[in-house]
Structures are given as structure tokens and as C-alpha cells.
Amino acid sequence: MKKKTIIYICITVAILIIIGLVYFLVINKNNKNENGDEKIQEAGTSKTNKIYERLTESDEYTFEKILNDENKSKTIKSGDKAYKEETSNGNTFKYIVTDGNTYLLQDNLKQYYKYENNTIILSEITNNFMKLENLQYQTGKEEINGNNLEYEEYSNYGEFLMNTSLETAGTQMQTRFYYSGNNLKYIKTIIGDQEELLEVNIEYKANDGIFEIPADYQDAENS
């Protein structure tokens, strides 16, 4: 009887220790989350993945990235047509995708260059998000322009980087996607001690009239 009592006491103590350890781990995890510390999340559960899914499922969208007035990009898609306006170091380039081809417009000359069987712009944005689909990520909070926003951070990823003058060779990249609720507001790319912060605007609609080459524009190869 005495031996059974000792065994019972040992089992009880072991159970209490396990319960205490589990409780400590849960409390510690919750405290880290409340304090805004980063924590690792499994792939496929992110708000960023939800953005990818909605962009893929939507027949129309407008996706805008802004670094500053001299560097920004807007991509508008509607079905199998697209329009892209990209400003880099103050120089603006306009592209139209229609009928399976891409056209580079030159407004100053009222000309266009035709790139046959090229529709890369149609899937450029969604492809950038697709690369994140199976990656783990970390969550946290950070104040951006006076707003305390939640973010999701992915390592070894820099597809949204606009400033190509940043030194990236041999340097690990992290990209943070900042959210107000479920709305993507900013994308920050971190390269060592360098950073690039983009303002992001997404609308699930498109201006249909923007996909037409102006009637007075000529094919540059035939002019």
C-alpha cells in the first residue's frame, strides 16, 4: 500500500509539473504577442496570401506603388488587357497589353513599339505575391507615418523593391507588408541597414478606356 501511495504521489507531481510548464508556455506566448514581438506563422495563413487570392480571382484591379513623385508604378488589369505606367527617376514609361501583345507608348513622339506575344504585365503583380504562398512569415507591429500597423515579414524576398540603386548583392532581404485591418497600406524592403518604404493602393476596379492605343499614334517601326 505504501509503495502504491508513493507511485501515486509521483504521478500526481509529474502531472502538476507538466500542467505548470504548459501554462507557462501559453502565458509567455500571449505576453509576447501583446507586446508586439515577432512570432513565426505557418505558410498559407497570412493576410498577404489573402491579397494574392483576391487579386487572382478578380477580373479587374488597380495596383499602385509609390516611393515618391519620381519613382512610382501603377498597374491596371481588366480581363486579358492591362495598362502599366511606371516612373523611374522622373522618367515615365507607359505600356498597354491587348490582343496578346505589349505596346510601349512614346507620348512625345506619338509612337509605339510593339512586342508580339508578350503579356508579362498581366501576371506581374500576382506572380510577385504567388512566390510568398508557401513561405513562413513573422508578425509584429510598427508605427508607420503616425499609424500603429500590423505587419507580416518574409525573409529572403525582395520582389517589390523599386530602387535598383540600393546595394543588394550578397545581402539578405526581408519584406514587410503593413496592414490596417485587412487593407495593405505599405510594403517595406529591408536590405542590411538600408530600407525602402512603398505606399500601396489597391482597388478592385479598372478604367476600361485606358487600354486603347491613341488613334493618332504610329508604329515606330513603320514611321
Side-chain angles (χ1 to χ4, degrees):
M1 180 65 69
K2 185 176 181 180
K3 186 176 181 180
K4 289 183 179 180
T5 301
I6 293 173
I7 293 173
Y8 175 77
I9 292 173
C10 291
I11 293 173
T12 302
V13 170
I15 292 173
L16 291 174
I17 290 174
I18 292 171
I19 292 173
L21 180 60
V22 171
Y23 178 79
F24 172 79
L25 292 174
V26 170
I27 293 298
N28 188 52
K29 181 178 179 181
N30 290 339
N31 285 340
K32 283 187 176 181
N33 189 38
E34 291 171 0
N35 292 332
D37 293 340
E38 293 183 347
K39 60 176 183 176
I40 297 176
Q41 304 283 355
E42 291 301 317
T45 60
S46 67
K47 293 181 179 182
T48 306
N49 191 56
K50 297 297 182 184
I51 295 288
Y52 164 64
E53 290 176 356
R54 186 170 180 186
L55 287 171
T56 302
E57 294 168 358
S58 179
D59 190 55
E60 296 184 343
Y61 64 76
T62 299
F63 191 97
E64 186 176 23
K65 303 178 295 181
I66 302 172
L67 178 60
N68 50 45
D69 289 340
E70 300 292 306
N71 297 275
K72 55 188 177 180
S73 175
K74 178 185 290 186
T75 301
I76 304 171
K77 177 184 175 295
S78 178
D80 60 356
K81 297 182 179 182
Y83 171 86
K84 181 178 180 180
E85 184 171 317
E86 184 171 34
T87 301
S88 178
N89 297 322
N91 300 309
T92 300
F93 303 89
K94 298 179 181 179
Y95 304 87
I96 290 176
V97 179
T98 185
D99 300 325
N101 306 309
T102 293
Y103 299 84
L104 169 61
L105 305 184
Q106 291 188 314
D107 291 338
N108 58 330
L109 299 176
K110 291 192 174 183
Q111 295 180 343
Y112 63 82
Y113 287 90
K114 180 180 179 180
Y115 301 92
E116 294 186 353
N117 303 315
N118 187 323
T119 60
I120 293 173
I121 292 173
L122 277 175
S123 57
E124 185 176 35
I125 299 298
T126 51
N127 283 347
N128 286 345
F129 279 100
M130 182 179 65
K131 294 174 183 177
L132 298 167
E133 192 175 15
N134 297 315
L135 299 181
Q136 287 188 333
Y137 62 97
Q138 293 182 328
T139 60
K141 291 184 179 180
E142 184 179 346
E143 185 175 306
I144 301 291
N145 294 332
N147 298 308
N148 192 28
L149 302 177
E150 296 179 351
Y151 67 76
E152 297 175 347
E153 179 182 297
Y154 293 81
S155 296
N156 302 315
Y157 178 87
E159 296 297 325
F160 284 98
L161 183 68
M162 290 189 68
N163 187 356
T164 56
S165 67
L166 292 179
E167 182 60 45
T168 60
T171 305
Q172 188 180 43
M173 291 187 190
Q174 287 84 36
T175 298
R176 290 181 179 179
F177 297 85
Y178 294 86
Y179 290 90
S180 175
N182 292 318
N183 297 318
L184 179 60
K185 307 299 290 184
Y186 299 94
I187 298 175
K188 179 192 285 187
T189 305
I190 305 168
I191 313 103
D193 59 355
Q194 305 172 99
E195 294 182 353
E196 177 189 87
L197 181 66
L198 303 178
E199 181 182 350
V200 176
N201 299 304
I202 304 176
E203 294 182 324
Y204 294 93
K205 60 182 181 180
N207 179 2
D208 289 336
I210 206 167
F211 305 112
E212 301 298 329
I213 299 172
D216 58 344
Y217 279 46
Q218 302 296 319
D219 187 337
E221 295 183 359
N222 298 323
S223 61

